[in-house]
Amino acid sequence: MASSSERNPPPFPASEKPEPGLSDMADGDSDSDEGADIFVSNSLPTSVSRGVSQPEEPADLFGQETPTAKPNRVYSDDDDLFAEAQADLSSDTPGNSARKDLSTSSGLPSARSPAALQPTSLEQLEEEEAKDCFDVDVAVTNPEKVGDGMNAYVAYKVSTRTSLPIFKSKVFSARRRFSDFLGLYEKLSAKQSLHGCIIPPPPEKSVVGMTKVKVGMDDPSSVEFVEKRRAALERYLQRIVAHPLLLQDPDVRDFLEREDLPRAVNTQALSGAGFLKMINRASDAVSKMTIKMNESDTWFEDKFQEVDTEEQQLRKLLAVVDSLVSHRKELCVNTAVFAKSMAMLGNSEDNTALSRALSQLAEVEDKMEQLHQEQAGTDFFIFAELLADYIRLLGAVRGCFDQRVRAWQRWQEAQSTLQKKREAEAKLLWANKPDKLQQAKEEINEWEAKVTQYERDFDRIGMTVRREVLRFEKEKAKDFKSQIIKYLEAMLQSQQRLVKFWEAFLPEAKAIA
Amino acid sequence: MMQEEVNEATSVLSVYGHTIKVTEALQDGDTLTFIIVSQKLSGTGEYHVDRTYDDFEWLQQHLYAQEDVPGIQGVIFPPLPMRPQANASAKVMKQLGFLGLGEWQPYCKALETFLRQVAAHCILSKNKAMEVFLTSIDPPGRQKVKRNIFNRLSQAVGELRKEGHKDVDEFFQTERDHNLVLTGHARTAAEKFLDVALTEQKIAVACGHFAAALQICVENGDDPEKRAFSRVCAKLSEVFDSIKKNMMSVAVNDMNTLGLGLDLDWRYQEAEREMLFRRTCKLVELENARKNAERAKPVKKSAMEEVKKAAEGEFEQICKVAKQEIVKLNQERVGTVQKSLTQWCEQQLQTAKEGADIFNQHLQAFKAMA
């Protein structure tokens, strides 16, 4: 309920105007001083000011959210406001009526079947959102070595281009180092409000890789390492800003905007395989629980199993891609060696025509080596990294399933504590100790509230997890498809170059005799 | 061209040499049989015969054994590919090179080239063994031919010192030096190219594995999101299947054209080297004979003079044939290399164009996917 909001709206920069719908983007908006909305297609009343994440508001926070596939979509956190603003909104874009449907049931704590609600409104919302989409483009570039020796590190330029009013400007950048990225992840994963969300994991630490870079950034393996990391950090940020809830998070904004960030220190846990180890440990702990969950809905069990299976499949695929990449690199080396041997053969030939042709062949082979090198890079950067990213992401998915189970645990434990308190009260009544009775009653009230609270949390997380998983699967199919298109375009290009090489060499070969 | 009359052990070949084809290799247990087809000179049809590797060796031995043909040692004998072996050792595999890849097409082609070269050789084509080999229904006799000087260079270990013996003729000294260098480079080039072709095969196999692994990810379910991803996996599997086929074509093209060409080139250089060695050995023999004749006591002198004269005569013959052979080889070599480079380029160009077409189709299909 809007009235229950204790939070003050965040200050809005005076210069920022609210974002109109996509079609209106070119126009200025004279109502900008209201500064109220960050929601593209809705002109919301000024009371809708809570555009940013609010960790302290449990009950209705995410309950009515519906998953969509659109990147960078920013939701209203409190759709109850729509209920009040119905009069204003009814003339607006059709999708709002969907939100109205949701919000009318929002106040009911016993809304147990959000799943039933979601399908129809999901479609409607999707239609609506297809119309509005505003940008946050993030890029990670310009890796530069800072400092010398073993204390050296690499700083990256993080550039953002956006039309969202929650940011102070439209185009800005900041310099960040690797531990900053890890620090961001730490902060996001610790937030209660984001529990159940699939938070994209950052790239892994690499002591070996970094040591080489500290020594010198010039040799090819260091160059490759830095490029691999830069690309991974970019994908990491792109996934974060593509997530509607994460985009609203103030820590994300700080990361993108602030000149200086306090140095992140607790990043030891995220070294190498550390991240996955962490997730696996959590999974094990959950599976060892004495009180097993009774799933009223098999969706969670089934999905969890699917996630597990999929992770295995992706690992297999990654292994094959790795061997493909290494064979391509081998082909580079062999081609170069062959080119040299042809050059030597050409040089020792008496017949000038033959000698020239063989030398030209050596040149063609050198060009091929270049091509093979690029092809190896393409295989790697497109497929191997894509698969590795998704293996890590699936780990994060498993993590949020675990969070749900832990929420259930907490609820169950609170219920049993409540039960004990009630029994204690009954005993006191019997023993007739009025002074202690008061305290007992207070404790019961306290625990009753907690039970309600935790039950809501559990439901909320459940819905979040469902929504997140749906969104994840959509994104995954899209992501793979777009990467494959990139790959095919690169393959096509190198084939065309190959054709050109051969066409250029043919007359040379024919001219020998 | 040798115009001298040859003895009755020779004949004229009754087929068109350039029509000889080794069409198939048939495996029956351990036995490998090659089918050889050639067009009759009379125009009345074809000869079809089946031969094993042993039969090829029989032919080669007979060619070597023509001791009464003057200057036979000056001939650069067309090289016969090494015996094919199942489960060959690494060393043998390396020697077999392109011919050991387990594909029969290149090997048949190499045997074919051998036969055609023999048929085209003015001296060798006249050997009766060749006629028998190509036309006789029954396999030629399997009796062992006596050892001769033509056994492999590498077997004459003690003789190798002679290889460095200084020559009396500048033409030949230059040719020997040049041949030594060329043989080394040609062999290296063939070996390195083989490595390239083998790696291309490995890539093709890895692509096949990827395609297969992707198929496992394809599931038939009701979930629309799962179906979208499954479709992506299925289509990507097709893509990698195409990549695999393209890569295999590239490797096969490599093997059948430039691979065979480089292989033949270095084996011919080896054959020339062997011929030059034979000549050098004869030179050493001649020089010894001269010395002996000079130093001989009057009693032995006339006998030594005879020996010397005979040696001089043989040496002269060998040099004459050798020179012709060298000139011929150097000329033909250019043509052979040109042909294999051109074929290689044409085939790879074709494959690259096909690849580009197929990738484009896949790309459009992906873009069109919902």
Side-chain angles (χ1 to χ4, degrees):
Chain A
M1 313 302 157
S3 53
S4 62
S5 161
E6 271 117 47
R7 215 183 120 119
N8 291 322
F12 279 90
S15 56
E16 202 47 73
K17 37 185 181 164
E19 203 52 35
L22 198 63
S23 50
D24 299 329
M25 220 118 93
D27 307 330
D29 190 349
S30 55
D31 296 332
S32 60
D33 294 325
E34 297 206 320
D37 66 74
I38 51 175
F39 312 116
V40 172
S41 64
N42 315 314
S43 47
L44 298 165
T46 47
S47 56
V48 183
S49 54
R50 300 152 75 216
V52 290
S53 69
Q54 301 159 82
E56 297 80 40
E57 297 287 325
D60 305 302
L61 195 50
F62 302 116
Q64 286 72 43
E65 293 296 69
T66 36
T68 64
K70 267 299 161 233
N72 308 326
R73 183 80 186 90
V74 182
Y75 295 132
S76 162
D77 284 331
D78 191 343
D79 286 282
D80 285 323
L81 297 166
F82 286 100
E84 294 176 47
Q86 268 175 39
D88 302 89
L89 295 177
S90 53
S91 54
D92 269 348
T93 45
N96 285 329
S97 54
R99 295 231 183 96
K100 279 193 298 187
D101 292 337
L102 294 171
S103 58
T104 45
S105 60
S106 68
L108 305 170
S110 57
R112 278 278 177 278
S113 52
L117 216 45
Q118 283 175 3
T120 41
S121 44
L122 169 60
E123 284 152 20
Q124 285 170 316
L125 260 174
E126 268 187 48
E127 271 174 32
E128 186 205 26
E129 262 140 26
K131 294 187 202 130
D132 58 50
C133 169
F134 44 91
D135 299 61
V136 177
D137 279 328
V138 168
V140 175
T141 55
N142 302 66
E144 268 169 18
K145 186 169 159 194
V146 176
D148 271 314
M150 290 317 280
N151 290 326
Y153 63 91
V154 176
Y156 301 87
K157 181 176 173 195
V158 175
S159 314
T160 316
R161 188 172 54 92
T162 176
S163 43
L164 283 180
I166 54 171
F167 292 101
K168 296 191 184 74
S169 13
K170 282 210 174 4
V171 175
F172 51 90
S173 68
R175 291 201 77 73
R176 299 281 177 252
R177 56 185 292 184
F178 185 67
S179 53
D180 294 333
F181 291 79
L182 296 183
L184 176 63
Y185 175 79
E186 289 273 301
K187 292 202 189 97
L188 292 174
S189 18
K191 288 191 181 166
Q192 177 75 17
S193 59
L194 295 178
H195 270 195
C197 286
I198 301 172
I199 299 176
E204 291 162 355
K205 271 189 182 183
S206 163
V207 177
V208 174
M210 267 322 286
T211 310
K212 269 197 245 171
V213 169
K214 285 185 215 262
V215 168
M217 268 179 65
D218 296 325
D219 64 285
S221 65
S222 284
V223 169
E224 198 181 297
F225 173 78
V226 172
E227 174 55 26
K228 178 181 166 181
R229 178 166 275 194
R230 181 210 64 79
L233 290 172
E234 191 173 85
R235 291 194 305 274
Y236 165 63
L237 283 186
Q238 283 168 345
R239 288 197 176 101
I240 287 185
V241 300
H243 193 297
L245 288 167
L246 296 179
L247 179 59
Q248 297 177 53
D249 189 286
D251 282 319
V252 172
R253 256 187 303 137
D254 280 351
F255 182 87
L256 294 174
E257 279 185 325
R258 276 179 70 165
E259 186 76 26
D260 290 305
L261 277 186
R263 177 94 191 270
V265 286
N266 293 327
T267 57
Q268 286 89 335
L270 296 169
S271 70
F275 171 73
L276 281 178
K277 233 188 274 175
M278 190 171 78
I279 293 290
N280 288 335
R281 253 199 312 248
S283 280
D284 290 339
V286 164
S287 59
K288 289 191 183 95
M289 267 189 340
T290 42
I291 318 167
K292 276 294 178 189
M293 272 185 82
N294 285 322
E295 292 282 9
S296 51
D297 185 354
T298 55
W299 187 94
F300 290 94
E301 255 169 39
D302 293 343
K303 267 298 172 212
F304 191 76
Q305 193 52 51
E306 276 174 28
V307 165
D308 206 46
T309 311
E310 186 157 4
E311 198 180 317
Q312 319 271 24
Q313 288 168 346
L314 291 188
R315 280 185 196 280
K316 278 208 192 81
L317 288 175
L318 184 58
V320 177
V321 170
D322 279 342
S323 98
L324 178 61
V325 170
S326 85
H327 287 323
R328 286 235 198 252
K329 285 188 174 162
E330 200 187 322
L331 185 58
C332 280
V333 170
N334 290 346
T335 307
V337 168
F338 172 62
K340 255 198 210 76
S341 73
M342 283 316 272
M344 289 197 69
L345 189 59
N347 284 342
S348 39
E349 288 291 344
D350 283 338
N351 182 301
T352 40
L354 194 53
S355 177
R356 195 181 57 231
L358 292 178
S359 304
Q360 250 141 12
L361 174 56
E363 277 176 34
V364 169
E365 288 293 311
D366 274 331
K367 288 194 190 129
M368 303 268 217
E369 188 221 336
Q370 179 66 23
L371 207 68
H372 294 318
Q373 184 84 287
E374 287 168 19
Q375 211 135 39
T378 309
D379 283 345
F380 176 73
F381 278 105
I382 292 185
F383 283 119
E385 289 287 85
L386 178 69
L387 291 168
D389 279 357
Y390 272 90
I391 289 170
R392 273 201 301 272
L393 277 165
L394 287 172
V397 174
R398 268 195 289 141
C400 67
F401 274 82
D402 291 341
Q403 282 172 338
R404 176 177 168 268
V405 175
R406 269 180 270 144
W408 180 85
Q409 252 188 309
R410 204 159 52 128
W411 175 34
Q412 296 303 306
E413 281 164 9
Q415 276 185 320
S416 86
T417 308
L418 177 62
Q419 183 63 20
K420 287 199 190 88
K421 297 288 177 196
R422 287 205 172 117
E423 285 168 5
E425 186 204 30
K427 281 205 190 94
L428 287 176
L429 271 171
W430 187 247
N432 197 18
K433 290 189 178 156
D435 45 331
K436 289 214 175 127
L437 205 58
Q438 181 55 28
Q439 189 191 348
K441 278 206 180 341
E442 278 170 15
E443 282 179 5
I444 287 178
N445 285 338
E446 183 195 332
W447 280 95
E448 273 175 350
K450 280 193 180 166
V451 167
T452 312
Q453 177 64 59
Y454 294 162
E455 189 180 4
R456 280 200 191 140
D457 284 349
F458 172 69
D459 283 339
R460 182 188 27 107
I461 282 196
M463 294 194 287
T464 304
V465 167
R466 285 181 100 111
R467 184 187 74 222
E468 286 285 288
V469 167
L470 244 51
R471 185 182 159 271
F472 172 76
E473 285 180 344
K474 259 210 181 72
E475 286 297 308
K476 184 180 70 177
K478 257 179 49 184
D479 209 351
F480 269 73
K481 183 180 155 197
S482 82
Q483 290 294 87
I484 291 168
I485 287 177
K486 247 177 39 188
Y487 182 77
L488 284 171
E489 283 171 347
M491 286 293 287
L492 185 56
Q493 220 188 28
S494 53
Q495 280 298 116
Q496 286 164 342
R497 277 167 66 196
L498 207 55
V499 167
K500 281 206 172 55
F501 291 158
W502 291 122
E503 281 175 343
F505 183 66
L506 191 56
E508 300 295 335
K510 286 186 167 159
I512 296 174
Chain B
M1 278 296 172
M2 297 249 336
Q3 296 301 321
E4 284 176 36
E5 263 318 288
V6 289
N7 61 28
E8 64 274 14
T10 62
S11 61
V12 178
L13 210 51
S14 68
V15 301
Y16 286 108
H18 61 272
T19 65
I20 299 173
K21 280 194 176 53
V22 177
T23 56
E24 278 181 79
L26 303 170
Q27 185 121 35
D28 181 16
D30 276 341
T31 340
L32 191 58
T33 312
F34 302 96
I35 308 296
I36 302 161
V37 179
S38 44
Q39 302 292 326
K40 294 184 186 172
L41 269 182
S42 58
T44 53
E46 302 177 331
Y47 284 108
H48 280 247
V49 294
D50 55 272
R51 299 284 179 254
T52 62
Y53 189 82
D54 285 340
D55 297 328
F56 278 88
E57 270 189 340
W58 171 93
L59 173 62
Q60 191 184 46
Q61 291 299 316
H62 272 272
L63 296 174
Y64 285 163
Q66 300 174 96
E67 285 167 352
D68 32 8
V69 172
I72 188 78
Q73 291 187 47
V75 167
I76 299 176
F77 285 84
L80 177 65
M82 257 182 82
R83 178 181 289 271
Q85 292 177 34
N87 309 316
S89 69
K91 185 170 174 221
V92 173
M93 282 302 288
K94 196 159 181 221
Q95 286 203 302
L96 273 172
F98 278 95
L99 307 180
L101 289 175
E103 305 282 334
W104 290 121
Q105 213 191 350
Y107 196 82
C108 289
K109 200 101 183 85
L111 289 177
E112 188 179 291
T113 305
F114 167 73
L115 290 174
R116 288 192 186 185
Q117 294 284 72
V118 172
H121 197 285
C122 51
I123 300 175
L124 300 178
S125 60
K126 298 196 175 84
N127 191 294
K128 200 166 179 187
M130 186 60 173
E131 177 72 17
V132 168
F133 183 91
L134 288 174
T135 63
S136 161
I137 301 296
D138 301 317
R142 298 276 160 81
Q143 65 271 38
K144 275 250 172 277
V145 179
K146 63 175 188 239
R147 263 179 76 92
N148 50 49
I149 199 163
F150 299 95
N151 288 320
R152 289 231 157 237
L153 195 70
S154 50
Q155 290 171 5
V157 166
E159 303 267 292
L160 273 176
R161 282 180 299 110
K162 291 183 191 167
E163 202 175 12
H165 189 88
K166 197 158 182 327
D167 212 297
V168 298
D169 184 323
E170 198 189 315
F171 170 83
F172 279 103
Q173 184 64 59
T174 312
E175 187 62 26
R176 279 163 65 188
D177 295 336
H178 192 232
N179 169 265
L180 199 61
V181 169
L182 221 55
T183 310
H185 290 324
R187 185 178 187 156
T188 307
E191 281 176 359
K192 299 311 171 194
F193 195 60
L194 176 64
D195 288 339
V196 169
L198 286 175
T199 313
E200 286 164 350
Q201 277 188 321
K202 281 191 210 168
I203 291 175
V205 168
C207 288
H209 285 161
F210 194 50
L214 282 166
Q215 279 298 329
I216 295 175
C217 296
V218 175
E219 290 168 37
N220 295 315
D222 303 320
D223 193 337
E225 312 315 332
K226 281 238 139 333
R227 264 191 281 142
F229 187 64
S230 279
R231 264 206 310 271
V232 167
C233 286
K235 267 229 128 349
L236 187 59
S237 179
E238 283 172 29
V239 169
F240 269 88
D241 200 53
S242 298
I243 297 177
K244 171 186 131 188
K245 292 197 175 103
N246 178 267
M247 223 18 178
M248 277 311 294
S249 284
V250 168
V252 165
N253 292 345
D254 279 346
M255 293 192 273
N256 288 346
T257 56
L258 189 58
L260 272 182
L262 289 173
D263 178 77
L264 187 68
D265 198 42
W266 92 255
R267 282 187 297 121
Y268 250 106
Q269 293 299 319
E270 276 288 332
E272 186 189 347
R273 186 173 159 209
E274 284 171 16
M275 181 279 278
L276 291 169
F277 178 68
R278 289 193 294 269
R279 179 187 159 280
T280 309
C281 289
K282 208 62 183 181
L283 175 62
V284 169
E285 192 189 303
L286 173 59
E287 287 175 353
N288 287 339
R290 282 195 180 131
K291 264 189 239 140
N292 291 342
E294 243 178 85
R295 296 178 197 154
K297 301 218 171 75
V299 166
K300 289 255 170 83
K301 193 129 182 144
S302 62
M304 288 296 111
E305 281 295 321
E306 282 295 311
V307 170
K308 183 188 94 173
K309 268 223 170 63
E312 272 172 358
E314 280 168 27
F315 186 70
E316 207 184 294
Q317 284 289 347
I318 289 174
C319 288
K320 191 167 165 192
V321 171
K323 212 169 200 154
Q324 286 167 354
E325 290 279 284
I326 287 168
V327 168
K328 189 173 80 154
L329 176 65
N330 287 337
Q331 276 172 354
E332 283 180 355
R333 211 175 141 249
V334 177
T336 313
V337 173
Q338 190 249 24
K339 200 163 135 218
S340 71
L341 279 178
T342 310
Q343 271 183 345
W344 178 60
C345 187
E346 282 169 348
Q347 286 188 15
Q348 295 294 33
L349 177 58
Q350 178 68 17
T351 302
K353 281 184 176 164
E354 284 167 5
D357 265 340
I358 291 190
F359 295 146
N360 192 30
Q361 281 174 29
H362 281 300
L363 176 61
Q364 300 313 320
F366 255 99
K367 282 183 169 169
M369 233 168 77

